[in-house]
Amino acid sequence: MSINAELKKEGIEVIKPLDTLSIIMIAKSVATKLVVAFPEQNLNCNDLFIKLSRLNMYIAKMPVGMACAKYYYKNSSIYFSDDIDFSNIDSYATHECIHYLQELRDTNNNLIHLGLCDFTNSKLPGMALNEAAVQLMSSKALNEKMDIVKYFDITFPTNSPYYYALECNLINQMAYITGDYALFNSTLYSNDSFQKNFIALTSKKTFFKVQNNLDKMMELEDTLSLEASKLGNKDLSIKAIYKIEKEIENLRKKINTLFINTQNLILTSYFDNNLKSVMSLEQIDAYRKKLYNYKDLIGSTDNYTFFNDYYIQKMAELEKMSSAFENYEEVSLAPVRNSLFSILFNKLKKLFIRREVYERAK
């Protein structure tokens, strides 16, 4: 099947190539933004500009429900919707340009990896993980601010409120564990650094479960979008409308549950494993701070108490460990330290209780 036939099958109808000046402006802008946003990745602005300026870009009619821009790896081209806001084209182009940069092909020019997505497997595992990582990079390059949003009855922070919002939140939690460098390095250069880091800090089982859950979540969101588009049919009977709405509500609940379960898995896998390496009072304090700050990353629902319960449980464990370290004098510390630790624990416990009451009152 020809490229044009494949595009037509997806509902993409090419209108015309994007003019050379526009391509050059996009290439220059995106290259500059990536170099400024990710200095630790050793990107060369001139090399990026040259590569991106050679990229084929087209204006096309896009089907309802598809993004305003799409990178098509089979011919290494970007297609922009004909009704796109060209005064703000960087917000659409940056994500797709990163896709182009992250291509890894074999000697026969077959795509084998697209960042975190494995193209040697027909199921394309890691597709959602990669889309979220690319969007996270794009948002950072565009200097998007963090915002609090609510989707599927989940309230959570994100700097990508309109594209892959849930997936971006979860991969941001993963990056909190591994550090941004490993995530963005693997995203740009299609290596396994991020995967290896995350597995080392959690487990192999956890990584692949999270990867699979994210792929499922993206599939559910696509299905929900398809179901919602059916409601635009004016010829639907009341019975048919009710059936579609019921299916939409069912999909919403599945997405909600999948997100919360994945979040809890990331949280517990890392902090349960990390607790095993705590060997001093200084490490106890570092562990406590890292777990406490995790609260700023998570999504929550009206009845979500898992993080608060888990935090209180870990603080109790840390208090016992602190007492043990002091009793055996493995770390020299004034006797007052233990009582201060207990006071701190009680204050933090009250903080979470007050926060829970406040959230329910809203």
Side-chain angles (χ1 to χ4, degrees), residues 172-180 197-198 201-202 266-267 270-275 277-278 282-298 307 310-311 314-315 318 344 348 352:
N172 197 37
Q173 292 186 41
M174 297 172 78
Y176 179 75
I177 292 170
T178 64
D180 286 345
N197 271 267
F198 189 80
L201 293 167
T202 57
I266 296 170
L267 169 70
Y270 172 67
F271 285 101
D272 284 354
N273 189 54
N274 187 242
L275 189 62
S277 61
V278 172
E282 285 76 12
Q283 289 176 346
I284 283 177
D285 192 49
Y287 179 101
R288 176 191 59 76
K289 288 178 181 177
K290 189 157 191 177
L291 178 55
Y292 178 76
N293 289 333
Y294 202 91
K295 76 184 189 308
D296 297 326
L297 306 175
I298 64 171
F307 180 81
Y310 183 78
Y311 182 87
K314 290 304 172 188
M315 290 303 101
L318 291 178
L344 175 62
L348 289 173
F352 278 107

Side-chain angles (χ1 to χ4, degrees), residues 66-292:
M66 183 176 283
C68 291
K70 179 179 177 64
Y71 176 70
Y72 202 65
Y73 70 89
K74 291 186 178 181
N75 65 344
S76 299
S77 300
I78 296 177
Y79 297 87
F80 295 105
S81 173
D82 60 338
D83 61 0
I84 200 172
D85 177 11
F86 279 90
S87 65
N88 192 33
I89 197 168
D90 280 1
S91 62
Y92 306 101
T94 305
H95 182 108
E96 309 310 324
C97 285
I98 294 173
H99 275 319
Y100 173 61
L101 295 173
Q102 65 178 180
E103 280 190 348
L104 183 63
R105 296 180 179 270
D106 62 18
T107 53
N108 295 318
N109 203 39
N110 296 311
L111 184 64
I112 55 177
H113 253 274
L114 192 66
L116 306 175
C117 181
D118 182 5
F119 270 73
T120 63
N121 186 320
S122 59
K123 293 183 179 179
L124 303 182
M127 178 63 79
L129 199 64
N130 187 60
E131 287 293 349
V134 170
Q135 184 55 34
L136 209 60
M137 288 192 72
S138 178
S139 295
K140 186 172 181 179
L142 294 166
N143 200 28
E144 300 286 356
K145 304 302 180 185
M146 194 65 70
D147 195 10
I148 303 296
V149 299
K150 186 173 184 178
Y151 293 125
F152 309 107
D153 298 321
I154 306 167
T155 302
F156 58 95
T158 180
N159 60 354
S160 179
Y162 305 114
Y163 304 103
Y164 306 109
L166 292 174
E167 292 85 353
C168 282
N169 175 272
L170 289 173
I171 201 169
N172 197 37
Q173 292 186 41
M174 297 172 78
Y176 179 75
I177 292 170
T178 64
D180 286 345
Y181 177 82
L183 173 62
F184 296 145
N185 190 261
S186 290
T187 302
L188 274 174
Y189 300 110
S190 296
N191 60 49
D192 59 1
S193 176
F194 174 67
Q195 177 180 319
K196 285 183 175 180
N197 271 267
F198 189 80
I199 288 175
L201 293 167
T202 57
S203 71
K204 187 175 182 179
K205 182 179 179 180
T206 297
F207 176 82
F208 287 107
K209 181 65 175 177
V210 171
Q211 176 183 268
N212 186 53
N213 283 0
L214 283 167
D215 284 337
K216 283 183 180 178
M217 190 180 299
M218 194 164 71
E219 289 175 12
L220 288 170
E221 289 172 330
D222 288 342
T223 304
L224 188 149
S225 179
L226 181 62
E227 290 295 317
S229 69
K230 293 178 182 178
L231 293 174
N233 186 347
K234 297 179 181 179
D235 298 325
L236 288 175
S237 65
I238 294 176
K239 184 178 180 180
I241 292 174
Y242 175 77
K243 185 178 179 180
I244 293 172
E245 288 178 341
K246 188 175 181 180
E247 177 59 19
I248 288 174
E249 183 59 29
N250 183 47
L251 288 166
R252 285 174 57 85
K253 289 179 180 177
K254 285 183 177 180
I255 293 169
N256 179 297
T257 300
L258 191 57
F259 175 91
I260 294 299
N261 288 344
T262 305
Q263 172 176 271
N264 293 346
L265 175 61
I266 296 170
L267 169 70
T268 57
S269 294
Y270 172 67
F271 285 101
D272 284 354
N273 189 54
N274 187 242
L275 189 62
K276 299 173 186 176
S277 61
V278 172
M279 301 299 292
S280 69
L281 287 167
E282 285 76 12
Q283 289 176 346
I284 283 177
D285 192 49
Y287 179 101
R288 176 191 59 76
K289 288 178 181 177
K290 189 157 191 177
L291 178 55
Y292 178 76

